[in-house]
Every structure is written in structure tokens, then in C-alpha cells.
């Protein structure tokens, strides 16, 4: 089991602490591997407290998923849809977002431990409620729209040619994001995914760029942990 959560009664209300611990456990062990008893044990409370707030495991999982996707969509909307950001920067910021999630569950930057909630829930899809499946589906659709906005801005700013196959690039980039968990687990480290991010950007730039290469070089990963 993971160490006890750093959230305690003096830092956050019990409902928030339950959600924090449940999120951590769902990421680590998937939907199947989490129980009210495990959450209660880590918090040092009775599992009846969890029943009071969420009644059932599916309701708790829905609350966890809703909060997780809200933050994830806000992060990627900022990365891919904001003005004044080059395609190079969008790739680096996407890589760094995944890296921060990964290193939280794989300290030192190597290992194949689960780090993302969506992929784990998708793997247990037959156990999810219809509402959860819909949330995941619409989240992936929203992510595609954000990436499309970023590609559109790159074309509009003259960074990419107007002949760029916009839909194809969205498909390529979103596939890289959605399969990142499997790429990392296959390799047992983050380096393979980092290489794929860099290679994908460089191929797109070489094929469709109308601007000079960026002055910046692909930045190395840092050892900083993800913010809590």
C-alpha cells in the first residue's frame, strides 16, 4: 500500500481528504483494486465515514473522475489553446505535464507504475457507470478539440503551412497522448515517450513548417516532483 496521505484533519475537510486518497489509489490500482476499507485505513477512519459522503464506490469514483478531468482539461486547454505559444512550446509543455504526473508515482524518473487515472479507468471500462464512460468519451473529444485549436493557431500564425493536414496531425498528437501510459510501461522509463514527443514535433516541423527552426533545443527532463 502507498504511504498515508499528507492531508490530515488540520489541512482539509474529511470529504476532500477522502477524494485525495481515493484518487491516489484509483490511479495506482485501477477501479477494481480500490475499496472503502483501504481508503479508510489510510485515513485512519471508519469506512462508514466514506459511506456517509459517497454511499457507493461508483459514486466515489464518479466524483474522483469529475474532479480529475476538470483539472486535466483546464491544463490542456491552457497548453493548446492559449495565444502566444509556439507549437514547439505546446509539445514541451505537454511532455512536461505528463512527466510531472509520472514522476509522482515513479520517483527518480524510472519505473512502470501507473500514473494516470483515465487509462486505468478505461482498462476497467466494463465496471464503470454509463456516466463515467460518457465523461471519459467527452473528455477525449475535448482534448482533440484543444489540440486542433493549437494546430489551427500554428497555421494561422504562419508557423505551419496552410496545406498542413490538420485532422491527421490532431489524430497523431492525441494518439501519442492517449497511449503514453502504454509507451512508458513497455520501456519501464519515461525516455521512450520523451523521444517520441521530440521526434513527432520534429517530423511535423520538417514536413509542414513555413518558419525557421526554433532557436531553443529540446529541453531535458528535470528531476522535480509533481506539485501535490
Amino acid at each position: 500500500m502507498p504511504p498515508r496521505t499528507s492531508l490530515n484533519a488540520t489541512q482539509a475537510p474529511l470529504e476532500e481528504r477522502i477524494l485525495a486518497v481515493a484518487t491516489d489509489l484509483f490511479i495506482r490500482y485501477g477501479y477494481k483494486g480500490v475499496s472503502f476499507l483501504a481508503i479508510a485505513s489510510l485515513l485512519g477512519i471508519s469506512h462508514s465515514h466514506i459511506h456517509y459522503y459517497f454511499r457507493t464506490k461508483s459514486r466515489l469514483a464518479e466524483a474522483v473522475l469529475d474532479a480529475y478531468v476538470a483539472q486535466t482539461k483546464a491544463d490542456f486547454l491552457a497548453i493548446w489553446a492559449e495565444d502566444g505559444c509556439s507549437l514547439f512550446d505546446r509539445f514541451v509543455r505537454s511532455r512536461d505535464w505528463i512527466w510531472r504526473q509520472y514522476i509522482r508515482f515513479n520517483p527518480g524518473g524510472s519505473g512502470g507504475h501507473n500514473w494516470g487515472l483515465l487509462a486505468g479507468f478505461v482498462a476497467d471500462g466494463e465496471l464503470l457507470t454509463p456516466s463515467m464512460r460518457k465523461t471519459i468519451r467527452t473528455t477525449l473529444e475535448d482534448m482533440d478539440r484543444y489540440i486542433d485549436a493549437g494546430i489551427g493557431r500554428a497555421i494561422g500564425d504562419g508557423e505551419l503551412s496552410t496545406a498542413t493536414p490538420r485532422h491527421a496531425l490532431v489524430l497523431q498528437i492525441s494518439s501519442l497522448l492517449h497511449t503514453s501510459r502504454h509507451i512508458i510501461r513497455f520501456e519501464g522509463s519515461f525516455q521512450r515517450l520523451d523521444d517520441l514527443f521530440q521526434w513527432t514535433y520534429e517530423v511535423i516541423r520538417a514536413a509542414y513548417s513555413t518558419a525557421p527552426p526554433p532557436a531553443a533545443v529540446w529541453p531535458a527532463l528535470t528531476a522535480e516532483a509533481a506539485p501535490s
Side-chain angles (χ1 to χ4, degrees):
M1 295 292 290
R4 288 180 180 269
T5 177
S6 60
L7 293 174
N8 58 47
T10 65
Q11 294 175 309
L14 180 56
E15 184 176 3
E16 291 182 19
R17 290 185 286 131
I18 292 170
L19 284 172
V21 171
T23 300
D24 186 273
L25 293 182
F26 279 128
I27 289 172
R28 292 176 186 273
Y29 305 116
Y31 186 90
K32 293 179 183 178
V34 177
S35 68
F36 277 11
L37 286 175
I39 298 168
S41 175
L42 287 172
L43 286 167
I45 61 175
S46 167
H47 72 278
S48 62
H49 287 88
I50 306 175
H51 281 285
Y52 172 80
Y53 286 106
F54 298 102
R55 306 302 300 171
T56 65
K57 178 177 172 179
S58 61
R59 288 190 183 181
L60 174 58
E62 286 176 352
V64 165
L65 179 63
D66 288 345
Y68 186 91
V69 300
Q71 184 61 60
T72 298
K73 290 198 293 185
D75 291 344
F76 274 89
L77 180 63
I79 291 171
W80 283 93
E82 71 178 19
D83 292 324
C85 189
S86 69
L87 190 62
F88 177 86
D89 290 335
R90 297 187 201 280
F91 267 83
V92 172
R93 290 171 64 187
S94 296
R95 186 278 309 261
D96 288 348
W97 187 94
I98 297 175
W99 168 246
R100 288 194 298 270
Q101 313 310 309
Y102 170 79
I103 200 173
R104 179 184 168 199
F105 294 91
N106 295 271
S110 63
H113 297 298
N114 294 335
W115 55 266
L117 184 71
L118 290 180
F121 273 1
V122 168
D124 292 334
E126 74 281 359
L127 301 176
L128 306 184
T129 65
S131 174
M132 292 177 70
R133 289 195 291 269
K134 180 180 179 181
T135 296
I136 292 172
R137 183 176 65 255
T138 57
T139 297
L140 298 181
E141 292 170 351
D142 287 341
M143 296 281 280
D144 282 357
R145 287 206 311 274
Y146 303 157
I147 295 169
D148 182 70
I151 297 298
R153 290 182 187 277
I155 294 171
D157 292 342
E159 189 178 1
L160 295 177
S161 164
T162 55
T164 298
R166 185 166 170 171
H167 177 73
L169 294 196
V170 172
L171 179 62
Q172 178 65 40
I173 296 167
S174 65
S175 295
L176 178 58
L177 293 174
H178 302 333
T179 60
S180 57
R181 175 183 184 232
H182 304 290
I183 294 167
I184 292 170
R185 293 191 72 178
F186 174 80
E187 184 73 10
S189 76
F190 197 87
Q191 189 58 54
R192 186 182 185 91
L193 183 64
D194 186 29
D195 291 342
L196 277 170
F197 264 99
Q198 180 180 3
W199 176 85
T200 302
Y201 166 74
E202 290 179 350
V203 168
I204 292 172
R205 183 188 60 77
Y208 306 112
S209 178
T210 59
V217 297
W218 189 259
L221 296 165
T222 65
E224 65 179 3
S228 58

